[in-house]
Structure formats: structure tokens, C-alpha cells
Amino acid sequence: MTQQQNLRIGLRRVFILPSALGLLWAAVGGLLYVMGVNTSSNVPLILGFLMLALQLLAIFLTAQTLHGLQLQWPTQLEGWAAEQLPLMVQLTLPKGSRYLGLQLGPKGKRWEGICKAGVQQIPVPWQSKSRGIHKLPRLRIDSQAPLGLWVCWVRIQTNSEALLYPAPIAGAINEIPWPQASGKQQPKPNIEPHDFHSLQPHRPEEGPQRLAWKQLARGHGEFSKRFEAPTAQAVLLTPQKGMAKEQALSAIAARIQQLAANGESYGLQLLHLNINPGSGTNHRRECLRSLALLP
Amino acid sequence: MKHAAFIRQAQALQAIALLLLLSQVITELLPATALGILLALALRWQKKLPRRRLISLGLLSLWAINQLIAGAAGWLEAASNLVWLLAALRLLEANDRKNIGGSGLLLLLALGLAGLKANGLGASLLAAVAALLVLCSLLGVQQGAEKLKLGLFGQAVALLSLALPLAVGLFLLAPRLPALWQMPGANSASTGLSDELDPGSIASLVQSDSAAALLQLKEIQLPPPEARYWRVRVLNNFNGRSWQPGPTVPLERNPLPVLASKQQQRWTYQGPERNTLPWPGVGTPQDHKQRINRNGELLRASNNSYVLLKSTNQPSWQMQPPLTIQGQWPMGSNPQLEALAWQWQQQYQDPRQRVAAAYHWFKAQGFEYTLRPGLMPTKASLDAVLFEKKRGFCEHYAAAFAALMRAAAIPARVVIGYQGGEWQPAAGQLQILQRDAHAWVELWLPPGQWRTVDPTAWIAPNRISQGVAASLSARDQQQLGRPMLGWFNQLLLPWQKLDQGWSEWIISFDRAQQNQLLEKWLGPEASIKAIQILAGGLCGLLFLGISLLWRQRQLQRGDKAKQQLDKLLHYLAKKQLRPNPGESLAAFIERVQGQEIKLKPDLIEFQDAYYRMRFHENCDEKNEQERLRIVVKNLFISSKCRMNSSQLK
């Protein structure tokens, strides 16, 4: 299970500054004051003063909007480079609802929306072009409630890390049929026993061993798992000679994605890295992680 | 494009606010502005609306053309119309949070501009409701409320109630700067006297219940109703149809005051900004900067409150010989009137005889005093008043009589101002309303003096002695909005009192009154003290707010046992161990012990210390705090050690 980190936002972390609307609001209040003074008319004057009073009051109210907000987020993420990888933030709002904005780092894509009282999951988008382990930038949460005149925000050090696989970009690679890869006797491809090809309606004579329990538990009905050994020959994926390293890794990652989708068996043969052919989710993850962490 | 429910709600709230605003300024709207606003509101709910910007551009161009054609209106009117139109167009564009905020702000500015035109209690209440709706729209957008709930209005009201004391403090104490520049066209507002005597201008004014001026008398007896003529503007220039002010210069010196006398009139002008102020024509201004001109007009000095002292002799403006313009008559403009005047000129040598002949002639004609004389022709309009329709209001009779006298070779001019007023014995003051607006005539008569002659008094004597309402027919009363139903008037009375109070205490509260009030409260150098109080108040408010926030933090910090409990719960939550709803601490700890046996001693220690701190009477709090702290610290340290050892493996 992935580790989670918790935080409850206190006032100590909150920063506050006037928003663009707040600056315009102050300007209109000033304009109404000048108009009232110049025409000796008290209605614009009162309105101007009321706007100023509301703006001052809004400082305290806005600072309170983030107070008491509870956050929980995972400390480990995995995904592809150059693709959006959302950090799923679980946000608990004690009461009321408000419009919030969440953003990872100054260049991150912003999530904006209404958060209601209670618990909700918010996907805060983030992406990086390069593979490897990345430390996530600081998470910024902001709000302009109640009137939009001030913007208050907190910046949180998430201490989360993202492992990014090479961006899957199709390209030329070498595929060596695995039994012919060397003259020695090779072990059997590592096919995970829990991997099944498809589901078909369950018949009582097939017994409970083949019953798809997960689907049954989800209320989708009784199905039997149909196992099939991969028909295609297992291959070892190696980069083409003379190709740039990152380009080659991207091409291998794309091919892994393709082979895994077809349920075929594959392995990796790189300079210092050898992974025997296999299939299944864990194998795919192992291969991609190795590509991501390759020095 | 379908917008979120809260955006649509905010748009609807702002549209209602705009309609409320329009209801206040409907008479001030240029046709293009009115058309543009209605079109924008109608298009607002069209599902497919191509090229909104093109529509906006078209409507703005229409407004500009209309403004060029209308021409005469001042820039303030033009700017107001533009802001009202822009508010509607902005609403057309407001499809997201940012634009809703912008359109709300523009609506508030538009409300402020509308307040220049309509500042009675009713109009101000409407403006307050409109402002409340704008606040609701801003709150709704920030909260994303899907359904319009009463709670939203409650929040807006609460917000306004919190802001109101500060706004009132600022209104009373914030220094009022002098006018930064002269506002052109400010004196032509509809709720006040116009500078021209066009047919119908005063008839429309007497339908307004707003306040015009307040007169307090000190050691002076109130003149009888027949003598209550409060002059504001003198019109010397006649073009055959309407009367306009001509050139004039201030007198070299105001009449000297009687120093020993304590008699004084304290005036507060409550109408829209203007350059000449109401006064009875006698007395001398206490403020030496305030001047009287040779027409007998009292010029505005710095503010709308002024004091007139008893003067030594007859007002000198009455002796100023007529200017050439005051005898000029456009020949052939009203032939029948000219013929009658020519006849009197031939018949009577003495001008006073000609006036007497006019009096008898007016009495014999059976003129009707009415608000609805019907449309007068463009050419020979005064002939139509005197010889055909024989119906009219004070402005018609004053204009026609002054013209008749000029045609009969007597220098004449029209004076506009107020006549009458309502004496309020409890307050000891005379309240003059816009409905008391009146026009009369001054003639240059031997032995060389300007004399007041009021032809309306010949036709409708009740107008002068009892006010406008008493001299009109039942149908006219209805048009005034004051039907002759005693019970209805009784119902309206409290409202009128409130309106009067609003005008008196809020609308006419100006720099002078502020200074007076501050001096009363704070003594000498009141302005500086007020600024100090205001600055102190604002700092105090900020300090209060910050200390409240600080206190809140301290309270959270203060409960040491809870802090340690929070830390423990946080630690256990990392292990996916969370208390169930309604589960007691003891039950939760027991459950955790079952799952995490290693933690058992620490948890028992924690529970013991926690309960001692909470419930034990003679507990050594510091000791127990320390116990709790050490337990939690141990848990975290042991957890880190376990993590490190697992990483090493």
C-alpha cells in the first residue's frame, strides 16, 4: 500500500495579498469617494466607504478560508515522462463550500473547482519531460473566498517522489528471439499464474478455482478465467546501435507497452541490465522501473 | 455554451440588480442607453449568441451617436449613461468567475452614479438591495452554490452588517476634501431647479417629494405663507419661447450686517449641486466669501450650509437699474400678446397702471391652474397660453406675464425658486421640498426698484397660501401621486417623515456639518483629532483581527493533551489505524493494541497519562505532559528505527 502524508492547514502557513479584482475594487471605491466629494453627494460617498469597509473585513474572512483544511496525499507516484501525472490529494473541508485552486510548482498545470464540505479526491496535474526519480515541487492551495477581493494561499512541501518511465515514443529497436539469444538452455518465460487472457461465463463443472472472484465481488456476475499461454515467441529487447540513449529507452518503453498490451512475453538486454522474458503487470513494471532508473 | 449553475445564478442576481438600478434612473437614460440595456438583458438568455463583442461595439456606437445628437447634456450625464450601458454589456459577457466579479464591480460603480441622480430614501433603499444582490452574486461565485439558498442572502446581510459600523465611522470621521474640480452640468439634475424656464420643467419638478432646503430661524419670526418666496435663479434672456439666465456680475459689496442683531437664518441646501442657492432676497451672508450678484442671486461659496444675518438697509440688488437685455423683446414672436401690450402702452402712461390693467385682465380671463395644460405650439406658444388654451402652471403664467410686460415696455425678468414650505414646529424649522418649486416675475417699476409680481397668485391664490396640492384639481392631485384621500396621506406620512429624516441627516451631511459635529464632540482642532481617531480605529481593528487570529492559534496550541493526542492519531493514521466514528479513546487503543502488539506498552502509558491529565483532580500537569510527550516521541523514534532497519535489509 502506498504511504500517505497528512497535513492540517493552520493560519501560520497562510499568505494573503489583494487579487486583481481587489485592486480594482479599491480603485472604484476611491473613484466613488472623489465623485461624492466633488458633487457633494453622499450616496456615492457612503457606497465608497462601504466598499472600503468590506475590503478590510474580507482580509480576515479570506485568511480563514484555508484554515482547518485537511490534506492527505501519497508519497510515491509512478507514471510516464512527458505525460500528465496527477497527484491525488484527498481534501477534507470542515464546513461550507468554496472555490479552490491547487497547483504543483509555479509551472504546474492548475486545478480549479468547487470543493464542498466533506472528503474529496483532487487530481493535481504534474508532469516532467525526463525519466527517473523526481521530487515533486511544492503544492500551492489558494482561495479568494468570500468575495474574491483577496487571494490567500499556502505552499506545502509534499515530500513526494515520482518515478517516471521513459516517454513511450515508437522507434527502431532490436528484438532478439529469446531461445536463440544464446546457445545455453534458457529458463521458461516468467508467466505469472494470475494472468489470464479473457473471461467467459462460468459453468459449474469448471469448479471454483477458475471463478473470477474479483468480478463476482463487484457484482458483475459469475465468470471463469480463461488462461492462454502467449502464442508469440518471447523476445529480448535491446537498443539499436548508434541510437541516442534516451531515444532508445523511449523506443523500448513504447515497445514494452505494446507487447504488454498484447500479453506477449519480453525481456530486456541492455549494457548492465538483463531481465529475462516474462509477462504480466509486475514484469512490465519491473522492466519500466529499470528503464527509468538506468544511469 | 452551458455554464455552471452558480455562474447562471450570479448572472441572474446581477441582472435583477441592474433592473433595480434602472428603475431609479429611468428618466435620466438616453434612448440609446435604454435600448442597449434592454437589448443586452434580452440577449443575455439567448442560448446561441454569435459575436457578443460585435453587439457590444454596435450598442456603444449607438450610444455615442445618441450622445452627439443629444449634445446638451453634461459630461457627467454622458459618463453615467456610458457606465450604465457598460454594466449591462459586461453582464452580457460575464460567463466565468472573473467576469462576474468585474461586472459586479461595474454595477457598484453604476449604483454610485445613480446615487447622484436619485438620493431619496426609496431610491437609496433600492440601491442597497441592488448592492446586496451584487454581494450575493460574488459570494455565490466563490462558494459555487448550485441552488440559490436563503443562507446566501443571510451571509450577504451579515457581511454588510459587519462592514456597516466601519462605513458609518468613515462617513462621520473621514475628512472630506474640497471639490477637486467644478463639475459641469451638475446643476441641471432633474431633481432640482433647471437654469431655464422651458414649458413643463417646473410641473415635472413638483411631482418630486425630495428635499430642497431647510431653514432654521434664530430670533426671527417666520414670514406668512404669502411672503415665503425663496429666490434661486433669475432669468433675463427671452427668445420668444423660453427664458434663460443672461449675463450678470456679482455686486461689489454685500450689504453690511447689523452687528448688534442676533437675528439670523441658517440655511441648508439639500438639492442637487448648483451654483446659486435659495434665499429670501434680504439679509447678508455671514461668510464673506459668499456673494450676491446684481440679479439678487446668492452664489454658492464652499458648501451647502450658510447663514444669513440681518442687514442694515434695503438690498442693493433691488436698486440695480435694468440691463438692456431685461427690456428686449423679440418682435413678432407672439403677435396677439404684442397687440394687447401695445394697446396698454397706448392707453396708460404710468407703468403701474399697465400692471394694474394686466391684473384685471388676468382675473377676467378665467385661467385654469393645472399640471396638464397640454402641448403648446412651437410658434407663438405664449399666445396659445394666454388666448387659446387658457390653462397652465406657474411657469406658463410667469413666462407669459413677463413677456407681456416687456412688450408693454416695462423691464421684466422671471425668477425661479421655491414658494412656501412646511413649518415643523417640533424642530423649529421650515422644510422646503422640490414640490414647492415656483416661478414668478420681477418688474422694474417707479421710483426705480425691482418689484415682485406673481401672476399665479391672481389665478390660484391657494397656491401661494396653502401650497401646490391645495390649488389643484383631484385629477392633478393623482398625477402628483398625492390623491386627496385622507387615509392614504396618513399612511404616507411616516414614510415622508423617514424620507425627510434621511435627506436631513444623511444626504445633506456635508463638510460644514461634519466640522460642526466633530467640534461638538471633540472640541477645537476636531479634524486632526478625527483623523487620529480614524487612524487609531483602523489600527485597532487590524490589531483586534490579528489578535483574534493569534488567540485562535494559541487556543489550539494551549491544549497540550490534545496536541499530543493529535500527534498520536497522526502517527497511527500512517499505519491506517483510524478511530471509527463514535469510538472512545479507550476502545480505539484497545483495538490498536490487538493489531500492533509492539505498541501496547506505549499506548497503555499514553492512555494513562492522558486520562490523568483530563480527569484526575490532583494531577501534576507538567509531569503528565512530559509523560505524554515522551511516549509520542518514543513512538516516532521507534518507527523511524524500524523504517531504517527495513531499508538496510
Side-chain angles (χ1 to χ4, degrees), chain B residues 524-589:
Chain B
E525 294 184 352
S527 304
I528 297 167
K529 286 179 186 168
I531 293 171
Q532 286 168 349
I533 290 174
L534 199 66
L538 283 174
C539 290
L541 197 75
L542 279 172
F543 178 75
L544 187 74
I546 292 166
S547 56
L548 275 175
L549 297 179
W550 184 257
R551 174 85 186 139
Q552 197 175 356
R553 229 181 86 193
Q554 289 301 311
L555 277 176
Q556 286 162 6
R557 279 185 162 190
D559 189 347
K560 302 286 179 191
K562 178 148 189 334
Q563 281 172 20
Q564 297 301 335
L565 178 64
D566 284 343
K567 281 184 184 173
L568 178 74
L569 293 177
H570 176 70
Y571 169 77
L572 294 173
K574 281 185 179 175
K575 298 176 173 292
Q576 305 304 318
L577 294 167
R578 292 189 181 86
N580 296 322
E583 194 175 23
S584 68
L585 179 65
F588 175 58
I589 284 182

Side-chain angles (χ1 to χ4, degrees), chain B residues 4-235:
Chain B
F6 64 92
I7 296 283
R8 275 181 274 129
Q9 270 171 29
Q11 288 168 348
L13 287 169
Q14 291 193 356
I16 298 169
L18 184 65
L19 287 174
L20 286 176
L21 173 110
L22 289 185
S23 67
Q24 294 176 48
V25 291
I26 194 98
T27 54
E28 301 293 325
L29 293 176
L30 285 173
T33 313
L35 176 76
I37 292 172
L38 289 177
L39 203 62
L41 282 174
L43 291 175
R44 173 64 271 171
W45 278 271
Q46 291 294 313
K47 282 182 182 169
K48 287 184 180 176
L49 182 61
R51 297 177 183 179
R52 284 170 196 248
R53 290 191 187 278
L54 199 66
I55 292 169
S56 301
L57 200 66
L59 288 173
L60 282 173
S61 314
L62 196 65
W63 168 84
I65 293 165
N66 195 175
Q67 186 58 41
L68 282 175
I69 294 168
W75 70 265
L76 190 61
E77 279 71 23
S80 303
N81 268 275
L82 182 62
V83 170
W84 296 328
L85 180 59
L86 282 175
L89 295 178
R90 187 71 185 161
L91 195 56
L92 190 68
E93 301 268 332
N95 294 328
D96 55 26
R97 277 172 63 244
K98 278 185 185 171
N99 283 323
I100 286 285
S103 68
L105 195 55
L106 205 54
L107 268 172
L108 288 176
L109 180 63
L111 277 173
L113 282 166
L116 292 178
K117 304 291 168 188
N119 55 15
L121 182 60
S124 302
L125 283 176
L126 276 181
V129 173
L132 190 76
L133 291 175
V134 172
L135 269 189
C136 278
S137 72
L138 297 180
L139 282 172
V141 161
Q142 289 298 333
Q143 290 181 4
E146 281 172 10
K147 284 182 185 172
L148 197 59
K149 289 176 187 166
L150 270 179
L152 198 64
F153 291 98
Q155 283 176 29
V157 171
L159 209 59
L160 273 183
S161 320
L162 282 172
L164 208 58
L166 183 58
V168 170
L170 286 167
F171 181 70
L172 290 176
L173 299 175
R176 309 264 177 114
L177 299 172
L180 302 177
W181 65 86
Q182 184 67 35
M183 301 288 276
N187 53 357
S188 59
S190 67
T191 48
L193 283 173
S194 158
D195 272 357
E196 286 188 32
L197 194 67
D198 277 327
S201 58
I202 291 187
S204 65
L205 195 59
V206 296
Q207 296 173 40
S208 162
D209 274 335
S210 52
L214 199 65
L215 168 62
Q216 290 167 310
L217 299 169
K218 192 178 174 188
E219 297 192 5
I220 303 181
Q221 214 165 9
L222 183 72
E226 299 79 24
R228 293 177 197 164
Y229 281 89
W230 319 116
R231 54 196 297 119
V232 177
R233 198 82 169 102
V234 175
L235 310 178

Side-chain angles (χ1 to χ4, degrees), chain A residues 36-42, chain B residues 119 176 182 186 211-216 265-278 287 290 298-307 503 506-514 516:
Chain A
V37 155
N38 243 28
T39 57
S40 299
S41 181
N42 283 346
Chain B
N119 55 15
R176 309 264 177 114
Q182 184 67 35
L214 199 65
L215 168 62
Q216 290 167 310
Q265 308 169 33
R266 186 174 287 275
W267 283 84
T268 308
Y269 176 64
Q270 297 167 316
E273 181 86 358
R274 56 174 308 120
N275 294 330
T276 55
L277 299 170
D287 180 358
Q290 193 162 23
L298 180 69
L299 305 181
R300 186 176 187 275
S302 58
N303 56 51
N304 287 335
S305 290
Y306 46 100
V307 174
S503 298
I506 309 294
I507 299 301
S508 61
F509 186 80
D510 59 6
R511 237 176 121 198
Q513 280 184 312
Q514 188 189 35
Q516 260 180 4

